Amino acid sequence: MARKTPDQGPAALRERCLQHLQALRIPITAAEFDTLLDEAEREGWPPLVFVDRLLGEQAARRRERATERRINAARFPERRSLETFDWNFNARFIDRVQIEQLATGDFVRRRRNLILIGQSGVGKSHLGQALGLRLCALGYRVLYTTSAEMIRNLGAAMADRSLPERLRYYANWDAVLIDEFGFDRI
């Protein structure tokens, strides 16, 4: 059932729409709104197309900012991606299809552990960070740490009797990437 709007002129309705956008904290300026209204009128967009164009870009920006916050919170030493991984270098040892399937995040959703094992220099750290970045983009909260850093952190928590809180901290992440296991000096 369509809602009837009060008998108001276009200027009053425009102002009300801008107030609604502001109340919803949708960061769109009056000029951007007017440009979009003009384009919708000129192109004859159906109402849903207008709403999609109005909200779609704002939603995409919000998703990008949220992803960036998750990436920063993860504390990756570098931003390594699957796109920059040299698949030919270790094609014999690394199954690209399997890695790309892991990049869907399904193992995190199912609460399964992932352990990458291999010799030094085969790309485990790169792949771990790349999977972590992908998980952040999928909306998962990720923490990157080294084994030495984690052991030091837990040791300090034992000393100051804050171990239960520290364990809850680690358990609160969707994925904890522990790198350089056995390579760091503790």
Side-chain angles (χ1 to χ4, degrees):
M1 181 175 202
R3 255 179 69 187
K4 291 187 178 184
T5 57
D7 207 9
Q8 296 179 5
L13 190 54
R14 174 191 170 276
E15 282 306 311
R16 234 177 63 218
C17 288
L18 288 171
Q19 290 170 359
H20 295 328
L21 291 167
Q22 186 178 24
L24 294 170
R25 294 191 174 117
I26 298 173
I28 188 166
T29 66
E32 291 170 325
F33 185 70
D34 291 340
T35 300
L36 199 57
L37 277 175
D38 291 343
E39 189 176 357
E41 191 173 303
R42 198 173 48 254
E43 300 294 327
W45 292 344
L48 285 177
V49 171
F50 173 74
V51 171
D52 179 60
R53 294 288 301 271
L54 174 68
L55 300 177
E57 186 177 328
Q58 299 300 322
R61 287 181 193 167
R62 187 171 287 183
R63 282 189 294 271
E64 287 172 16
R65 286 191 307 269
T67 297
E68 190 62 30
R69 280 192 304 275
R70 285 189 296 273
I71 289 170
N72 289 333
R75 301 182 334 192
F76 295 111
E78 299 175 63
R79 290 193 180 190
R80 295 180 174 173
S81 68
L82 290 176
E83 292 74 26
T84 61
F85 187 73
D86 183 2
W87 295 101
N88 295 322
F89 176 67
N90 285 311
R92 247 180 50 199
F93 301 105
I94 297 174
D95 183 349
R96 183 177 188 165
V97 173
Q98 185 179 31
I99 298 298
E100 288 174 348
Q101 196 285 325
L102 290 168
T104 66
D106 187 53
F107 74 99
V108 177
R109 184 189 58 74
R110 292 184 297 121
R111 300 182 128 342
R112 298 289 184 213
N113 294 320
L114 171 65
I115 301 173
L116 300 177
I117 300 171
Q119 297 175 348
S120 181
V122 297
K124 297 179 303 297
S125 292
H126 186 132
L127 288 173
Q129 289 178 52
L131 289 172
L133 279 175
R134 190 67 64 87
L135 293 174
C136 288
L138 292 170
Y140 292 108
R141 294 180 58 245
V142 177
L143 174 67
Y144 173 90
T145 187
T146 64
S147 59
E149 181 181 346
M150 183 181 236
I151 290 170
R152 274 193 300 274
N153 194 300
L154 293 173
M158 283 180 65
D160 69 9
R161 298 176 194 251
S162 65
L163 186 60
E165 292 86 17
R166 185 53 30 182
L167 291 173
R168 276 193 296 278
Y169 167 78
Y170 284 117
N172 196 35
W173 298 91
D174 297 317
V176 178
L177 305 176
I178 306 169
D179 199 4
E180 301 175 3
F181 198 80
F183 291 106
D184 276 354
R185 297 191 72 192
I186 296 174

